[in-house]
């Protein structure tokens, strides 16, 4: 039986990464906290729960809102290319799943990259450069490549290119989690109501926590 709550979270991780790719490509910038959540997710190799991959459900609220909007309306001007990135990421993950040798290379290189975060922190340029190189050496070798559209001035900058590749990498990681939880592309068509209901429940619960006064 499908766990729609966990599937909704993993799918929100894919959408959040795709939204960040679009923002970076078109504006040259994206919320640092959301990008760090994506980087953090890449290093969670043996999580106990789905939310542990992201450091908490509240970290995925932007992705939950974006996924909910796109699944409900199928189009939204704010996320012009986002759905194309989501579907491309899901396809790329399926290709990767057929290559266990590549998966093990990615796993071992991620372990080394994780050590780097102890020195620099997850948001450092060196960490992005390292993760982008893992993506380029593995996922970019497939015949199918994700075409990122945006402002040429931003896409040409190495720092932004590294961030975009890292976000795509994080999207593939979330797509892998989604598949492990029983997620299928057909669910986006035939189980949308269940996914939207799960997203609505998560958004209403965690938005209220987000706005509630905290004790000090």
């Amino acid at each position: 039986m499908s766990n729609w709550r966990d599937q909704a979270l993993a799918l929100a991780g894919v959408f959040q990464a795709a939204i960040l790719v679009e923002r970076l490509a078109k504006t040259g910038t994206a919320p640092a906290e959301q990008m760090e959540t994506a980087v953090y997710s890449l290093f969670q190799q043996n999580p106990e729960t789905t939310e542990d991959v992201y450091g908490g459900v509240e970290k995925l609220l932007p992705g939950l809102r974006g996924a909910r909007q796109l699944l409900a309306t199928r189009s939204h001007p704010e996320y012009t290319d986002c759905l194309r990135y989501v579907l491309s990421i899901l396809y790329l993950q399926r290709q990767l799943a057929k290559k266990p040798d590549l998966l093990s290379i990615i796993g071992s290189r991620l372990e080394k990259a994780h050590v780097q975060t102890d020195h620099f922190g997850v948001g450092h340029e060196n960490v992005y450069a390292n993760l982008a190189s893992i993506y380029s050496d593995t996922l970019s070798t497939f015949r199918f490549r994700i075409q990122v559209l945006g402002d040429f001035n931003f896409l040409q900058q190495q720092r932004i290119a590294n961030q975009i590749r890292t976000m795509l990498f994080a999207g593939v990681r979330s797509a892998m989690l989604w598949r492990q939880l029983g997620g299928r592309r057909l669910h986006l068509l035939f189980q949308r109501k269940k996914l939207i209901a799960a997203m609505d429940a998560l958004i209403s619960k965690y938005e209220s926590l987000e706005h509630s006064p905290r004790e000090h």
Side-chain angles (χ1 to χ4, degrees):
M1 186 172 159
S2 292
N3 181 338
W4 297 110
R5 177 190 181 276
D6 283 353
Q7 271 195 40
L9 282 174
L11 197 56
V14 179
F15 273 86
Q16 191 155 303
I19 292 166
L20 290 167
V21 168
E22 183 172 8
R23 295 254 169 91
L24 286 164
K26 291 180 177 175
T27 70
T29 184
E33 189 183 352
Q34 290 177 37
M35 291 206 295
E36 285 173 19
T37 296
V39 172
Y40 177 87
S41 74
L42 282 165
F43 297 127
Q44 309 314 305
Q45 306 250 20
N46 297 295
E48 288 191 14
T49 65
T50 303
E51 50 260 51
D52 284 351
V53 175
Y54 307 98
V57 174
E58 67 282 357
K59 305 274 192 185
L60 283 178
L61 278 172
L64 283 164
R65 293 185 195 113
R68 195 241 173 269
Q69 222 166 19
L70 275 164
L71 286 172
T73 62
R74 304 242 189 149
S75 66
H76 200 277
E78 192 187 344
Y79 307 123
T80 319
D81 293 309
C82 178
L83 198 53
R84 184 173 61 81
Y85 295 143
V86 167
L87 295 174
S88 297
I89 286 166
L90 294 180
Y91 180 79
L92 196 58
Q93 186 276 323
R94 282 213 311 279
Q95 302 308 302
L96 177 62
K98 298 171 189 170
K99 296 192 178 287
D101 52 331
L102 218 50
L103 276 167
S104 74
I105 290 167
I106 289 171
S108 64
R109 284 188 63 178
L110 279 173
E111 278 178 34
K112 289 174 190 161
H114 196 186
V115 175
Q116 194 183 29
T117 64
D118 295 336
H119 300 288
F120 297 110
V122 289
H124 197 276
E125 274 185 43
N126 291 4
V127 174
Y128 281 112
N130 194 346
L131 292 170
S133 75
I134 300 173
Y135 179 88
S136 295
D137 294 345
T138 56
L139 287 152
S140 284
T141 63
F142 290 120
R143 188 174 293 143
F144 174 81
R145 310 245 326 243
I146 299 175
Q147 297 297 317
V148 175
L149 303 176
D151 186 315
F152 186 71
N153 294 319
F154 298 133
L155 295 174
Q156 284 294 96
Q157 292 179 41
Q158 192 61 53
R159 180 180 60 84
I160 295 171
N162 287 342
Q163 290 174 340
I164 287 171
R165 287 192 184 100
T166 301
M167 294 307 105
L168 290 171
F169 196 5
V172 171
R173 194 268 176 268
S174 284
M176 189 176 293
L177 179 63
W178 184 61
R179 294 237 172 241
Q180 288 166 345
L181 294 163
R184 296 293 175 265
R185 196 166 154 171
L186 286 175
H187 288 177
L188 302 181
L189 293 172
F190 301 116
Q191 304 289 356
R192 280 189 313 139
K193 286 184 180 172
K194 287 176 181 171
L195 283 166
I196 288 168
M199 286 168 182
D200 282 339
L202 287 161
I203 290 166
S204 61
K205 179 180 177 183
Y206 285 89
E207 268 187 345
S208 63
L209 290 175
E210 192 181 39
H211 297 130
S212 61
R214 291 181 183 168
E215 293 179 12
H216 294 285

